[in-house]
Amino acid sequence: MKEIICELKEINKIYQGRNVLNNINIKLQKGETYGFIGKNGAGKTTTMRIIVGLSLQTNGEIYLEGVKESHLLSEKRKKIGCMIENPALYMGMSAIENLEAIRILYGILDKKRSSQILRMVGLENTGSKAAKNFSLGMRQRLGIGMALMNNPQLLILDEPINGLDPDGIVEVRELIKGINKKHGTTILISSHILSEMYQTVDNYILIDKGRIVEEISHQELNKNCQKYILIKSDNVSTLIDTIRGKLNTENFRVMENNSIRMYDYTDDLLKVLSVLGSVGIDSKDISVMEDSLEEYFFKRTSCREES
Amino acid sequence: MIKIFNYELYRLVRDKSFIIISFGILFLNYAIFSGKSISMEEYIRKDFLTISLSTLYIALFIGKEFEDKKITYQLLAGNSRTKILLSKSVIVILIIEFQLFLFPISQMILTRRFTLWSPSENRFHISLILMGIYLTSLCILIISVVKKSAMSVGILILFYLLSMLAMNNKNIGEIAIHFFPLGIGQLIALNQIGLVRGMALILIWTAAQMIIAILLFLKVDL
């Protein structure tokens, strides 16, 4: 298992009498990319704000590289870069001046650092143009650049592609992927655009109404979203024996509601019908299914609503 | 602390509104006092405008940091909340003192007369320095509570209006002038109160406001 760079343990946040975060447990491993997914008001931004110290949890512990004491957390936060909500820019200053202000704040002596970052985020040709005259995409890139100034080990980006045009989305996506690949930076991104998250991150954290619904890897998600045969049965153990014995496959998952998802034979439904029919399973209990990413997330959150 | 100070200084010298408001203070003071031989008493009484403009600028300069969440960078630079607030207080004192002393110094340079800038006017200088320190704690307290520049400006304007009304009121004016630090500052400059007593009163106000600001700042979401 990789080193845990950030861990939230049993984090609760009560805001104006409302429980906005409820027993949040998250572990972020070094070098991994995480997509933080949830509806508006689910608790994504609040969780991110707690990690960087902008908000204070009502109870629970934050560990940064294994440290939880508040005076040591301040020091550990030097290794975090973030852009939460909108990029926090000095609108009257140019891109290089914005970066210089942050370089001075971090006490970085290397004066070339600002121009390096400027090149990294593709804003080297902006000259003395003030940030207020930048397009939304340029502002987002400058915001990411400012978050990268301290060469962070953990980069937290809240809706970094919000409001961007398709070109801007591609630019930001490539930038984020490049940062993770080149520097091994752990990245936590929140976004509503699930298809975009799918192309950017390796792990997903689903949050709904202040609770973590699921943590799932890219591979697991692919498996869950791929075409499968859904088989419902009151006698799951017999069904499992039949699948193993007669269909000769282990590529299935037992679900909570007395059903099995089988990922083989999706193109040979007749064979499945005849084999399972022989053990008394009705054909109406067998169907071929496929979830889109959106459907998957919707089901995961709506399941909770029903329960 | 030095890093935050350097950072604040970097953005201050690039802030056009700082230059505009500083020139505004100068211009208004010259407009008010032009063609007159300025007495210290008159200057102190009319200095309210400088105080108001200067603190309103602080509300924008620091309040915007909170509003736009630029405070995040300061947290991620490894600073505790207390350190951030104290560092900001240092730069705020410098800005306010600069703007409070701007007119007296410019007057001295331009006229080569030392009406407001001679060793005999020490009480006046001390009163301005104390006012700067007190106003800093007032601004920091208001900004750290409301965290919005526009609202901070509104509260400061309201505070000044209420203080002026109270100090100019026939019935409570005498008490108010001894109670409000702005009034105590005037009394020090005009030699109507003991220097040590006046200084102690203002510094107690300042310390109380700073302690409340820090305690609140440690507990609130930014």
Side-chain angles (χ1 to χ4, degrees):
Chain A
M1 189 161 168
K2 289 180 183 173
E3 184 190 333
I4 306 287
I5 198 161
C6 172
E7 183 177 2
L8 303 185
K9 266 188 191 172
E10 304 288 319
I11 293 285
N12 285 280
K13 171 79 181 169
I14 296 168
Y15 182 69
Q16 292 180 345
R18 205 166 62 89
N19 214 354
V20 289
L21 294 181
N22 214 325
N23 288 333
I24 297 286
N25 289 293
I26 295 175
K27 281 181 184 175
L28 303 179
Q29 290 182 24
K30 201 170 184 177
E32 292 287 314
T33 50
Y34 295 86
F36 205 16
I37 298 167
K39 295 173 194 166
N40 281 337
K44 304 184 297 288
T45 304
T46 307
T47 308
M48 291 174 154
R49 286 168 53 86
I50 286 175
I51 296 174
V52 300
L54 278 173
S55 285
L56 303 167
Q57 69 271 31
T58 308
N59 47 51
E61 306 278 8
I62 306 169
Y63 291 81
L64 295 173
E65 292 184 322
V67 161
K68 70 167 182 174
E69 291 78 13
S70 59
H71 65 286
L72 295 173
L73 278 180
S74 298
E75 197 59 27
K76 291 288 176 190
R77 284 198 171 104
K78 279 183 178 175
K79 295 174 182 174
I80 300 178
C82 84
M83 186 177 76
I84 292 182
E85 294 158 348
N86 299 313
L89 309 178
Y90 293 104
M91 291 301 180
M93 291 189 202
S94 67
I96 192 82
E97 284 174 335
N98 268 281
L99 290 167
E100 275 293 283
I102 302 302
R103 183 185 68 77
I104 292 166
L105 179 64
Y106 283 127
I108 298 167
L109 297 174
D110 180 10
K111 289 189 177 177
K112 288 177 188 164
R113 180 76 184 144
S114 301
S115 33
Q116 278 171 4
I117 300 268
L118 211 55
R119 274 197 301 277
M120 194 192 282
V121 294
L123 292 173
E124 67 270 35
N125 297 321
T126 50
S128 57
K129 189 177 177 179
K132 65 184 171 198
N133 299 321
F134 283 8
S135 69
L136 202 58
M138 289 162 83
R139 287 182 191 181
Q140 295 288 82
R141 279 187 282 151
L142 181 55
I144 295 174
M146 288 163 86
L148 290 173
M149 178 55 76
N150 53 343
N151 203 6
Q153 289 184 12
L154 172 61
L155 182 62
I156 295 174
L157 303 171
D158 187 18
E159 307 279 357
I161 52 170
N162 230 7
L164 295 185
D165 58 23
D167 286 348
I169 290 175
V170 174
E171 282 172 19
V172 171
R173 184 208 308 153
E174 292 309 315
L175 179 64
I176 293 168
K177 286 168 91 170
I179 292 162
N180 171 254
K181 210 173 175 182
K182 273 187 198 165
H183 307 284
T185 310
T186 308
I187 297 176
L188 176 67
I189 315 172
S190 75
S191 178
H192 290 106
I193 307 168
L194 300 181
S195 55
E196 193 47 46
M197 290 288 248
Y198 188 74
Q199 294 181 66
T200 316
V201 301
D202 302 322
N203 302 279
Y204 305 86
I205 301 168
L206 273 67
I207 185 168
D208 188 44
K209 293 178 183 163
R211 285 178 190 273
I212 300 292
V213 178
E214 187 173 21
E215 279 190 66
I216 187 167
S217 71
H218 197 71
Q219 289 79 5
E220 285 171 324
L221 183 71
N222 277 338
K223 196 164 186 179
N224 287 349
C225 289
Q226 77 186 71
K227 215 179 203 182
Y228 59 90
I229 298 171
L230 182 70
I231 311 155
K232 291 177 186 167
S233 171
D234 292 333
N235 192 347
V236 176
S237 57
T238 311
L239 183 58
I240 292 170
D241 292 342
T242 311
I243 291 171
R244 281 187 176 139
K246 295 190 175 173
L247 290 171
N248 205 21
T249 177
E250 288 289 332
N251 196 9
F252 63 87
R253 282 176 71 185
V254 182
M255 308 308 286
E256 289 160 0
N257 52 347
N258 283 342
S259 66
I260 284 182
R261 286 183 179 192
M262 187 171 68
Y263 300 97
D264 287 341
Y265 299 102
T266 50
D267 296 328
D268 195 0
L269 190 61
L270 281 175
K271 185 174 180 181
V272 176
L273 284 169
S274 76
V275 168
L276 297 184
S278 68
V279 291
I281 292 174
D282 199 326
S283 61
K284 69 175 190 302
D285 289 329
I286 304 169
S287 48
V288 178
M289 309 286 284
E290 186 177 14
D291 277 352
S292 71
L293 199 58
E294 280 80 4
E295 281 168 340
Y296 178 79
F297 291 128
F298 179 72
K299 277 182 187 172
R300 292 300 294 148
T301 49
S302 55
C303 277
R304 265 180 28 78
E305 274 166 22
E306 283 161 17
S307 63
Chain B
M1 211 151 178
I2 291 170
K3 287 173 196 167
I4 300 182
F5 180 77
N6 287 341
Y7 153 82
E8 297 287 4
L9 211 56
Y10 181 87
R11 67 187 193 94
L12 179 70
V13 296
R14 280 160 184 79
D15 187 7
K16 283 178 191 141
S17 32
F18 171 67
I19 298 160
I20 292 167
I21 290 193
S22 298
F23 271 107
I25 287 170
L26 259 187
F27 176 78
L28 281 169
N29 275 298
Y30 274 105
I32 291 167
F33 298 111
S34 63
K36 294 175 187 170
S37 169
I38 310 163
S39 73
M40 196 171 63
E41 187 172 355
E42 193 186 3
Y43 181 76
I44 284 288
R45 290 206 192 285
K46 289 183 176 171
D47 201 30
F48 235 72
L49 205 64
T50 307
I51 288 173
S52 306
L53 279 174
S54 186
T55 50
L56 296 187
Y57 171 69
I58 295 299
L60 293 171
F61 183 72
I62 304 290
K64 207 87 178 99
E65 284 269 292
F66 287 85
E67 204 173 314
D68 297 345
K69 307 283 180 282
K70 292 187 189 91
I71 206 87
T72 317
Y73 298 123
Q74 287 148 59
L75 286 168
L76 295 182
N79 300 298
S80 66
R81 288 182 174 211
T82 312
K83 207 173 179 183
I84 292 171
L85 209 62
L86 292 176
S87 309
K88 286 202 180 294
S89 304
V90 174
I91 192 84
V92 169
I93 287 179
L94 290 181
I95 295 171
I96 293 181
E97 297 294 1
F98 170 76
Q99 290 178 333
L100 288 180
F101 278 98
L102 196 58
F103 176 67
I105 293 173
S106 77
Q107 225 245 343
M108 179 193 80
I109 295 167
L110 288 175
T111 63
R112 293 181 181 241
R113 283 188 308 174
F114 300 94
T115 324
L116 293 170
W117 198 252
S118 64
S120 61
E121 311 296 358
N122 275 342
R123 275 181 159 265
F124 167 69
H125 306 137
I126 291 169
S127 124
L128 278 193
I129 291 168
L130 287 172
M131 292 313 295
I133 295 170
Y134 162 70
L135 292 168
T136 297
S137 68
L138 177 70
C139 289
I140 293 287
L141 174 64
I142 291 172
I143 295 164
S144 59
V145 172
V146 298
K147 299 187 290 296
K148 297 247 185 300
S149 53
M151 208 187 281
S152 304
V153 167
I155 292 172
L156 279 167
I157 290 173
L158 196 68
F159 176 80
Y160 290 138
L161 282 175
L162 288 174
S163 327
M164 281 179 76
L165 282 172
M167 288 192 290
N168 290 319
N169 186 289
K170 276 182 187 172
N171 301 320
I172 60 164
E174 272 301 304
I175 303 164
I177 206 161
H178 284 85
F179 180 76
F180 284 108
L182 296 175
I184 300 167
Q186 283 187 24
L187 295 177
I188 293 173
L190 301 173
N191 205 6
Q192 289 170 9
I193 190 175
L195 188 61
V196 176
R197 189 178 158 220
M199 279 172 78
L201 281 171
I202 290 184
L203 291 176
I204 287 169
W205 266 95
T206 304
Q209 287 181 168
M210 275 312 287
I211 289 167
I212 296 169
I214 290 171
L215 290 176
L216 288 171
F217 196 64
L218 288 172
K219 297 280 173 205
V220 294
D221 288 345
L222 301 173

